Amino acid sequence: MEKTKKKILGLLGLLLVAAITVFAAFLPGPEAMATGSVTDTVQIRVVGDKPNVDIVSDLKTDEVVTTPKHDVTINYENLNHIEATLTFTDKDGNKHSVPLLNEDLDYEAGSRTFSFDFLEGDYDYGDYVLTVKGTGVGGVSDTTTLKFSFVPVEASITEDGDTGDPIVDLDYDPDEGGPEDDGKVKEIKITILDEKGNPIEISPIIVQAPTKEVKIPFDELGLPSGKYTVEIEAFDRHGNSLYKKISYVYYYKTIPVPGTGGDDTKTPDTGGLLGSLNISKSDYLTTGLMIFAIVGIGGTIYIIKHDKKTRK
């Protein structure tokens, strides 16, 4: 009887193992489970325990920009009130203020995004300051600011390596004739002043959009070395000045002609053939001595050999 029970239990155990094996065989493998899964990207924002406001934007502090469209995001946390104001000073020195936020909050973390076009509405060219202030428990506050300038034209000046002429590279958003371009740059006036403040011969130079590189022919005009001031002013399609002039200082140094020995002279070299070949006097003297020595030694050998033949 005891042996019969053991056989039955053993048979049941074998059946259980077989059933588990069959079940496991039909389970999907790791690859199939990975294929059918969905991956979620989770962004974690760490929230502190104090009032906090931050400004996130493509605009940087103290940056000067010429494009009118920009986005600004204000992040905040642990606040019961928030205020945001954008102020700017126009070309005439007048200050303008545009309120963006003035709301009560529930201490929850959040954010607000603003899209600006500084050529529309209450905005214009000028110096901007975005100020955000958040207040939390017990009147504790946090304030942050973003300062930048929106101007019609910016410039950089480089030197032509061959002539020393200044090359003015202009950065601006050109008026291409569409209705949405009203207020953009149509014309740029470049004025160059010498050290005494007098305009040079070809000033002012008028540049039509969309030209962005202008070479000033200092070398061709025969201008002397010295400090020059380059003034740049932008105008719209109606001939209105868009903003105040911007000024740059350029130090011009004439390129000397090789062989003249002077920094500021353009007189061509008149040293003859040797001068044009750029051969120094010492090189010329050394070469002459070498030729004389070779001719002298060759002549001596010839005379000795000739003398021997005569004797024979």
Side-chain angles (χ1 to χ4, degrees), residues 207-227:
V207 180
Q208 299 293 332
T211 302
K212 292 194 174 183
E213 182 179 288
V214 183
K215 181 179 178 180
I216 315 298
F218 276 30
D219 180 63
E220 183 180 325
L221 293 170
L223 296 177
S225 298
K227 183 178 74 172

mmCIF file with all atom_site columns, all heavy atoms in Angstrom, residues 207-227:
data_model
loop_
_atom_site.group_PDB
_atom_site.id
_atom_site.type_symbol
_atom_site.label_atom_id
_atom_site.label_alt_id
_atom_site.label_comp_id
_atom_site.label_asym_id
_atom_site.label_entity_id
_atom_site.label_seq_id
_atom_site.pdbx_PDB_ins_code
_atom_site.Cartn_x
_atom_site.Cartn_y
_atom_site.Cartn_z
_atom_site.occupancy
_atom_site.B_iso_or_equiv
_atom_site.pdbx_formal_charge
_atom_site.auth_seq_id
_atom_site.auth_comp_id
_atom_site.auth_asym_id
_atom_site.auth_atom_id
_atom_site.pdbx_PDB_model_num
ATOM 1   N N   . VAL A 1 207 ? 24.056 102.213 -48.418 1.00 0.00 ? 207 VAL A N   1
ATOM 2   C CA  . VAL A 1 207 ? 23.963 100.770 -48.672 1.00 0.00 ? 207 VAL A CA  1
ATOM 3   C C   . VAL A 1 207 ? 22.494 100.379 -48.750 1.00 0.00 ? 207 VAL A C   1
ATOM 4   O O   . VAL A 1 207 ? 21.707 100.688 -47.839 1.00 0.00 ? 207 VAL A O   1
ATOM 5   C CB  . VAL A 1 207 ? 24.660 99.966  -47.549 1.00 0.00 ? 207 VAL A CB  1
ATOM 6   C CG1 . VAL A 1 207 ? 24.547 98.463  -47.816 1.00 0.00 ? 207 VAL A CG1 1
ATOM 7   C CG2 . VAL A 1 207 ? 26.112 100.388 -47.427 1.00 0.00 ? 207 VAL A CG2 1
ATOM 8   N N   . GLN A 1 208 ? 22.106 99.711  -49.808 1.00 0.00 ? 208 GLN A N   1
ATOM 9   C CA  . GLN A 1 208 ? 20.731 99.259  -49.985 1.00 0.00 ? 208 GLN A CA  1
ATOM 10  C C   . GLN A 1 208 ? 20.589 97.800  -49.540 1.00 0.00 ? 208 GLN A C   1
ATOM 11  O O   . GLN A 1 208 ? 21.462 96.971  -49.817 1.00 0.00 ? 208 GLN A O   1
ATOM 12  C CB  . GLN A 1 208 ? 20.303 99.394  -51.457 1.00 0.00 ? 208 GLN A CB  1
ATOM 13  C CG  . GLN A 1 208 ? 20.341 100.811 -52.002 1.00 0.00 ? 208 GLN A CG  1
ATOM 14  C CD  . GLN A 1 208 ? 19.310 101.723 -51.347 1.00 0.00 ? 208 GLN A CD  1
ATOM 15  O OE1 . GLN A 1 208 ? 18.259 101.266 -50.880 1.00 0.00 ? 208 GLN A OE1 1
ATOM 16  N NE2 . GLN A 1 208 ? 19.593 103.020 -51.316 1.00 0.00 ? 208 GLN A NE2 1
ATOM 17  N N   . ALA A 1 209 ? 19.493 97.497  -48.856 1.00 0.00 ? 209 ALA A N   1
ATOM 18  C CA  . ALA A 1 209 ? 19.226 96.109  -48.447 1.00 0.00 ? 209 ALA A CA  1
ATOM 19  C C   . ALA A 1 209 ? 19.071 95.239  -49.687 1.00 0.00 ? 209 ALA A C   1
ATOM 20  O O   . ALA A 1 209 ? 18.543 95.709  -50.711 1.00 0.00 ? 209 ALA A O   1
ATOM 21  C CB  . ALA A 1 209 ? 17.959 96.057  -47.597 1.00 0.00 ? 209 ALA A CB  1
ATOM 22  N N   . PRO A 1 210 ? 19.554 93.998  -49.681 1.00 0.00 ? 210 PRO A N   1
ATOM 23  C CA  . PRO A 1 210 ? 20.070 93.246  -48.526 1.00 0.00 ? 210 PRO A CA  1
ATOM 24  C C   . PRO A 1 210 ? 21.592 93.162  -48.458 1.00 0.00 ? 210 PRO A C   1
ATOM 25  O O   . PRO A 1 210 ? 22.122 92.199  -47.904 1.00 0.00 ? 210 PRO A O   1
ATOM 26  C CB  . PRO A 1 210 ? 19.467 91.876  -48.773 1.00 0.00 ? 210 PRO A CB  1
ATOM 27  C CG  . PRO A 1 210 ? 19.513 91.709  -50.262 1.00 0.00 ? 210 PRO A CG  1
ATOM 28  C CD  . PRO A 1 210 ? 19.285 93.082  -50.828 1.00 0.00 ? 210 PRO A CD  1
ATOM 29  N N   . THR A 1 211 ? 22.347 94.144  -49.003 1.00 0.00 ? 211 THR A N   1
ATOM 30  C CA  . THR A 1 211 ? 23.810 94.111  -48.954 1.00 0.00 ? 211 THR A CA  1
ATOM 31  C C   . THR A 1 211 ? 24.295 94.071  -47.505 1.00 0.00 ? 211 THR A C   1
ATOM 32  O O   . THR A 1 211 ? 23.817 94.839  -46.669 1.00 0.00 ? 211 THR A O   1
ATOM 33  C CB  . THR A 1 211 ? 24.390 95.348  -49.653 1.00 0.00 ? 211 THR A CB  1
ATOM 34  O OG1 . THR A 1 211 ? 23.925 95.378  -51.002 1.00 0.00 ? 211 THR A OG1 1
ATOM 35  C CG2 . THR A 1 211 ? 25.909 95.324  -49.632 1.00 0.00 ? 211 THR A CG2 1
ATOM 36  N N   . LYS A 1 212 ? 25.261 93.186  -47.242 1.00 0.00 ? 212 LYS A N   1
ATOM 37  C CA  . LYS A 1 212 ? 25.732 93.031  -45.865 1.00 0.00 ? 212 LYS A CA  1
ATOM 38  C C   . LYS A 1 212 ? 27.249 93.130  -45.724 1.00 0.00 ? 212 LYS A C   1
ATOM 39  O O   . LYS A 1 212 ? 27.765 92.963  -44.612 1.00 0.00 ? 212 LYS A O   1
ATOM 40  C CB  . LYS A 1 212 ? 25.243 91.695  -45.290 1.00 0.00 ? 212 LYS A CB  1
ATOM 41  C CG  . LYS A 1 212 ? 23.729 91.652  -45.097 1.00 0.00 ? 212 LYS A CG  1
ATOM 42  C CD  . LYS A 1 212 ? 23.284 90.496  -44.244 1.00 0.00 ? 212 LYS A CD  1
ATOM 43  C CE  . LYS A 1 212 ? 21.789 90.559  -43.959 1.00 0.00 ? 212 LYS A CE  1
ATOM 44  N NZ  . LYS A 1 212 ? 21.337 89.473  -43.066 1.00 0.00 ? 212 LYS A NZ  1
ATOM 45  N N   . GLU A 1 213 ? 27.973 93.407  -46.796 1.00 0.00 ? 213 GLU A N   1
ATOM 46  C CA  . GLU A 1 213 ? 29.416 93.590  -46.697 1.00 0.00 ? 213 GLU A CA  1
ATOM 47  C C   . GLU A 1 213 ? 29.842 94.785  -47.541 1.00 0.00 ? 213 GLU A C   1
ATOM 48  O O   . GLU A 1 213 ? 29.492 94.869  -48.718 1.00 0.00 ? 213 GLU A O   1
ATOM 49  C CB  . GLU A 1 213 ? 30.162 92.329  -47.141 1.00 0.00 ? 213 GLU A CB  1
ATOM 50  C CG  . GLU A 1 213 ? 31.676 92.451  -47.017 1.00 0.00 ? 213 GLU A CG  1
ATOM 51  C CD  . GLU A 1 213 ? 32.405 91.192  -47.435 1.00 0.00 ? 213 GLU A CD  1
ATOM 52  O OE1 . GLU A 1 213 ? 32.341 90.204  -46.678 1.00 0.00 ? 213 GLU A OE1 1
ATOM 53  O OE2 . GLU A 1 213 ? 33.017 91.192  -48.520 1.00 0.00 ? 213 GLU A OE2 1
ATOM 54  N N   . VAL A 1 214 ? 30.582 95.691  -46.942 1.00 0.00 ? 214 VAL A N   1
ATOM 55  C CA  . VAL A 1 214 ? 31.031 96.906  -47.626 1.00 0.00 ? 214 VAL A CA  1
ATOM 56  C C   . VAL A 1 214 ? 32.517 97.105  -47.345 1.00 0.00 ? 214 VAL A C   1
ATOM 57  O O   . VAL A 1 214 ? 32.943 97.165  -46.187 1.00 0.00 ? 214 VAL A O   1
ATOM 58  C CB  . VAL A 1 214 ? 30.246 98.144  -47.152 1.00 0.00 ? 214 VAL A CB  1
ATOM 59  C CG1 . VAL A 1 214 ? 30.688 99.376  -47.927 1.00 0.00 ? 214 VAL A CG1 1
ATOM 60  C CG2 . VAL A 1 214 ? 28.742 97.929  -47.305 1.00 0.00 ? 214 VAL A CG2 1
ATOM 61  N N   . LYS A 1 215 ? 33.309 97.231  -48.410 1.00 0.00 ? 215 LYS A N   1
ATOM 62  C CA  . LYS A 1 215 ? 34.738 97.507  -48.273 1.00 0.00 ? 215 LYS A CA  1
ATOM 63  C C   . LYS A 1 215 ? 34.975 98.984  -48.545 1.00 0.00 ? 215 LYS A C   1
ATOM 64  O O   . LYS A 1 215 ? 34.582 99.497  -49.585 1.00 0.00 ? 215 LYS A O   1
ATOM 65  C CB  . LYS A 1 215 ? 35.550 96.634  -49.239 1.00 0.00 ? 215 LYS A CB  1
ATOM 66  C CG  . LYS A 1 215 ? 37.049 96.856  -49.145 1.00 0.00 ? 215 LYS A CG  1
ATOM 67  C CD  . LYS A 1 215 ? 37.797 95.937  -50.105 1.00 0.00 ? 215 LYS A CD  1
ATOM 68  C CE  . LYS A 1 215 ? 39.294 96.182  -50.049 1.00 0.00 ? 215 LYS A CE  1
ATOM 69  N NZ  . LYS A 1 215 ? 40.040 95.310  -50.981 1.00 0.00 ? 215 LYS A NZ  1
ATOM 70  N N   . ILE A 1 216 ? 35.642 99.665  -47.609 1.00 0.00 ? 216 ILE A N   1
ATOM 71  C CA  . ILE A 1 216 ? 35.918 101.093 -47.740 1.00 0.00 ? 216 ILE A CA  1
ATOM 72  C C   . ILE A 1 216 ? 37.329 101.255 -48.328 1.00 0.00 ? 216 ILE A C   1
ATOM 73  O O   . ILE A 1 216 ? 38.304 100.797 -47.725 1.00 0.00 ? 216 ILE A O   1
ATOM 74  C CB  . ILE A 1 216 ? 35.832 101.812 -46.383 1.00 0.00 ? 216 ILE A CB  1
ATOM 75  C CG1 . ILE A 1 216 ? 34.587 101.357 -45.607 1.00 0.00 ? 216 ILE A CG1 1
ATOM 76  C CG2 . ILE A 1 216 ? 35.826 103.317 -46.595 1.00 0.00 ? 216 ILE A CG2 1
ATOM 77  C CD1 . ILE A 1 216 ? 33.287 101.667 -46.277 1.00 0.00 ? 216 ILE A CD1 1
ATOM 78  N N   . PRO A 1 217 ? 37.479 101.915 -49.497 1.00 0.00 ? 217 PRO A N   1
ATOM 79  C CA  . PRO A 1 217 ? 38.775 101.959 -50.205 1.00 0.00 ? 217 PRO A CA  1
ATOM 80  C C   . PRO A 1 217 ? 39.759 102.981 -49.629 1.00 0.00 ? 217 PRO A C   1
ATOM 81  O O   . PRO A 1 217 ? 40.152 103.947 -50.301 1.00 0.00 ? 217 PRO A O   1
ATOM 82  C CB  . PRO A 1 217 ? 38.361 102.308 -51.637 1.00 0.00 ? 217 PRO A CB  1
ATOM 83  C CG  . PRO A 1 217 ? 37.127 103.136 -51.477 1.00 0.00 ? 217 PRO A CG  1
ATOM 84  C CD  . PRO A 1 217 ? 36.397 102.551 -50.295 1.00 0.00 ? 217 PRO A CD  1
ATOM 85  N N   . PHE A 1 218 ? 40.217 102.784 -48.404 1.00 0.00 ? 218 PHE A N   1
ATOM 86  C CA  . PHE A 1 218 ? 41.183 103.696 -47.793 1.00 0.00 ? 218 PHE A CA  1
ATOM 87  C C   . PHE A 1 218 ? 42.463 103.783 -48.621 1.00 0.00 ? 218 PHE A C   1
ATOM 88  O O   . PHE A 1 218 ? 43.020 104.861 -48.830 1.00 0.00 ? 218 PHE A O   1
ATOM 89  C CB  . PHE A 1 218 ? 41.520 103.227 -46.376 1.00 0.00 ? 218 PHE A CB  1
ATOM 90  C CG  . PHE A 1 218 ? 40.542 103.680 -45.331 1.00 0.00 ? 218 PHE A CG  1
ATOM 91  C CD1 . PHE A 1 218 ? 39.203 103.882 -45.642 1.00 0.00 ? 218 PHE A CD1 1
ATOM 92  C CD2 . PHE A 1 218 ? 40.956 103.909 -44.025 1.00 0.00 ? 218 PHE A CD2 1
ATOM 93  C CE1 . PHE A 1 218 ? 38.300 104.292 -44.669 1.00 0.00 ? 218 PHE A CE1 1
ATOM 94  C CE2 . PHE A 1 218 ? 40.057 104.325 -43.048 1.00 0.00 ? 218 PHE A CE2 1
ATOM 95  C CZ  . PHE A 1 218 ? 38.727 104.512 -43.381 1.00 0.00 ? 218 PHE A CZ  1
ATOM 96  N N   . ASP A 1 219 ? 42.959 102.627 -49.083 1.00 0.00 ? 219 ASP A N   1
ATOM 97  C CA  . ASP A 1 219 ? 44.210 102.589 -49.827 1.00 0.00 ? 219 ASP A CA  1
ATOM 98  C C   . ASP A 1 219 ? 44.086 103.372 -51.139 1.00 0.00 ? 219 ASP A C   1
ATOM 99  O O   . ASP A 1 219 ? 44.959 104.165 -51.499 1.00 0.00 ? 219 ASP A O   1
ATOM 100 C CB  . ASP A 1 219 ? 44.607 101.134 -50.101 1.00 0.00 ? 219 ASP A CB  1
ATOM 101 C CG  . ASP A 1 219 ? 45.899 101.027 -50.886 1.00 0.00 ? 219 ASP A CG  1
ATOM 102 O OD1 . ASP A 1 219 ? 46.942 101.470 -50.367 1.00 0.00 ? 219 ASP A OD1 1
ATOM 103 O OD2 . ASP A 1 219 ? 45.873 100.514 -52.017 1.00 0.00 ? 219 ASP A OD2 1
ATOM 104 N N   . GLU A 1 220 ? 42.995 103.161 -51.844 1.00 0.00 ? 220 GLU A N   1
ATOM 105 C CA  . GLU A 1 220 ? 42.770 103.848 -53.127 1.00 0.00 ? 220 GLU A CA  1
ATOM 106 C C   . GLU A 1 220 ? 42.644 105.353 -52.936 1.00 0.00 ? 220 GLU A C   1
ATOM 107 O O   . GLU A 1 220 ? 43.076 106.140 -53.786 1.00 0.00 ? 220 GLU A O   1
ATOM 108 C CB  . GLU A 1 220 ? 41.513 103.284 -53.778 1.00 0.00 ? 220 GLU A CB  1
ATOM 109 C CG  . GLU A 1 220 ? 41.191 103.861 -55.145 1.00 0.00 ? 220 GLU A CG  1
ATOM 110 C CD  . GLU A 1 220 ? 39.921 103.260 -55.735 1.00 0.00 ? 220 GLU A CD  1
ATOM 111 O OE1 . GLU A 1 220 ? 39.674 102.065 -55.506 1.00 0.00 ? 220 GLU A OE1 1
ATOM 112 O OE2 . GLU A 1 220 ? 39.181 103.997 -56.407 1.00 0.00 ? 220 GLU A OE2 1
ATOM 113 N N   . LEU A 1 221 ? 42.065 105.769 -51.814 1.00 0.00 ? 221 LEU A N   1
ATOM 114 C CA  . LEU A 1 221 ? 41.900 107.192 -51.544 1.00 0.00 ? 221 LEU A CA  1
ATOM 115 C C   . LEU A 1 221 ? 43.187 107.835 -51.034 1.00 0.00 ? 221 LEU A C   1
ATOM 116 O O   . LEU A 1 221 ? 43.262 109.068 -50.915 1.00 0.00 ? 221 LEU A O   1
ATOM 117 C CB  . LEU A 1 221 ? 40.786 107.397 -50.507 1.00 0.00 ? 221 LEU A CB  1
ATOM 118 C CG  . LEU A 1 221 ? 39.358 107.026 -50.953 1.00 0.00 ? 221 LEU A CG  1
ATOM 119 C CD1 . LEU A 1 221 ? 38.405 107.054 -49.771 1.00 0.00 ? 221 LEU A CD1 1
ATOM 120 C CD2 . LEU A 1 221 ? 38.883 107.969 -52.058 1.00 0.00 ? 221 LEU A CD2 1
ATOM 121 N N   . GLY A 1 222 ? 44.188 107.007 -50.692 1.00 0.00 ? 222 GLY A N   1
ATOM 122 C CA  . GLY A 1 222 ? 45.452 107.547 -50.198 1.00 0.00 ? 222 GLY A CA  1
ATOM 123 C C   . GLY A 1 222 ? 45.359 108.124 -48.804 1.00 0.00 ? 222 GLY A C   1
ATOM 124 O O   . GLY A 1 222 ? 46.088 109.074 -48.460 1.00 0.00 ? 222 GLY A O   1
ATOM 125 N N   . LEU A 1 223 ? 44.496 107.574 -47.968 1.00 0.00 ? 223 LEU A N   1
ATOM 126 C CA  . LEU A 1 223 ? 44.322 108.096 -46.614 1.00 0.00 ? 223 LEU A CA  1
ATOM 127 C C   . LEU A 1 223 ? 45.513 107.732 -45.738 1.00 0.00 ? 223 LEU A C   1
ATOM 128 O O   . LEU A 1 223 ? 46.084 106.646 -45.863 1.00 0.00 ? 223 LEU A O   1
ATOM 129 C CB  . LEU A 1 223 ? 43.042 107.538 -45.999 1.00 0.00 ? 223 LEU A CB  1
ATOM 130 C CG  . LEU A 1 223 ? 41.734 107.941 -46.691 1.00 0.00 ? 223 LEU A CG  1
ATOM 131 C CD1 . LEU A 1 223 ? 40.549 107.269 -46.024 1.00 0.00 ? 223 LEU A CD1 1
ATOM 132 C CD2 . LEU A 1 223 ? 41.558 109.458 -46.666 1.00 0.00 ? 223 LEU A CD2 1
ATOM 133 N N   . PRO A 1 224 ? 45.900 108.623 -44.834 1.00 0.00 ? 224 PRO A N   1
ATOM 134 C CA  . PRO A 1 224 ? 47.040 108.345 -43.957 1.00 0.00 ? 224 PRO A CA  1
ATOM 135 C C   . PRO A 1 224 ? 46.651 107.395 -42.824 1.00 0.00 ? 224 PRO A C   1
ATOM 136 O O   . PRO A 1 224 ? 45.470 107.208 -42.510 1.00 0.00 ? 224 PRO A O   1
ATOM 137 C CB  . PRO A 1 224 ? 47.394 109.731 -43.410 1.00 0.00 ? 224 PRO A CB  1
ATOM 138 C CG  . PRO A 1 224 ? 46.089 110.461 -43.408 1.00 0.00 ? 224 PRO A CG  1
ATOM 139 C CD  . PRO A 1 224 ? 45.346 109.984 -44.620 1.00 0.00 ? 224 PRO A CD  1
ATOM 140 N N   . SER A 1 225 ? 47.665 106.785 -42.209 1.00 0.00 ? 225 SER A N   1
ATOM 141 C CA  . SER A 1 225 ? 47.418 105.935 -41.046 1.00 0.00 ? 225 SER A CA  1
ATOM 142 C C   . SER A 1 225 ? 46.829 106.772 -39.917 1.00 0.00 ? 225 SER A C   1
ATOM 143 O O   . SER A 1 225 ? 47.135 107.961 -39.777 1.00 0.00 ? 225 SER A O   1
ATOM 144 C CB  . SER A 1 225 ? 48.718 105.282 -40.583 1.00 0.00 ? 225 SER A CB  1
ATOM 145 O OG  . SER A 1 225 ? 49.259 104.446 -41.581 1.00 0.00 ? 225 SER A OG  1
ATOM 146 N N   . GLY A 1 226 ? 45.993 106.160 -39.100 1.00 0.00 ? 226 GLY A N   1
ATOM 147 C CA  . GLY A 1 226 ? 45.397 106.888 -37.986 1.00 0.00 ? 226 GLY A CA  1
ATOM 148 C C   . GLY A 1 226 ? 44.103 106.252 -37.507 1.00 0.00 ? 226 GLY A C   1
ATOM 149 O O   . GLY A 1 226 ? 43.707 105.172 -37.958 1.00 0.00 ? 226 GLY A O   1
ATOM 150 N N   . LYS A 1 227 ? 43.453 106.940 -36.585 1.00 0.00 ? 227 LYS A N   1
ATOM 151 C CA  . LYS A 1 227 ? 42.204 106.464 -35.995 1.00 0.00 ? 227 LYS A CA  1
ATOM 152 C C   . LYS A 1 227 ? 41.024 107.077 -36.729 1.00 0.00 ? 227 LYS A C   1
ATOM 153 O O   . LYS A 1 227 ? 40.942 108.297 -36.892 1.00 0.00 ? 227 LYS A O   1
ATOM 154 C CB  . LYS A 1 227 ? 42.140 106.834 -34.506 1.00 0.00 ? 227 LYS A CB  1
ATOM 155 C CG  . LYS A 1 227 ? 40.893 106.313 -33.805 1.00 0.00 ? 227 LYS A CG  1
ATOM 156 C CD  . LYS A 1 227 ? 40.894 106.666 -32.323 1.00 0.00 ? 227 LYS A CD  1
ATOM 157 C CE  . LYS A 1 227 ? 40.596 108.121 -32.099 1.00 0.00 ? 227 LYS A CE  1
ATOM 158 N NZ  . LYS A 1 227 ? 40.409 108.464 -30.657 1.00 0.00 ? 227 LYS A NZ  1
#
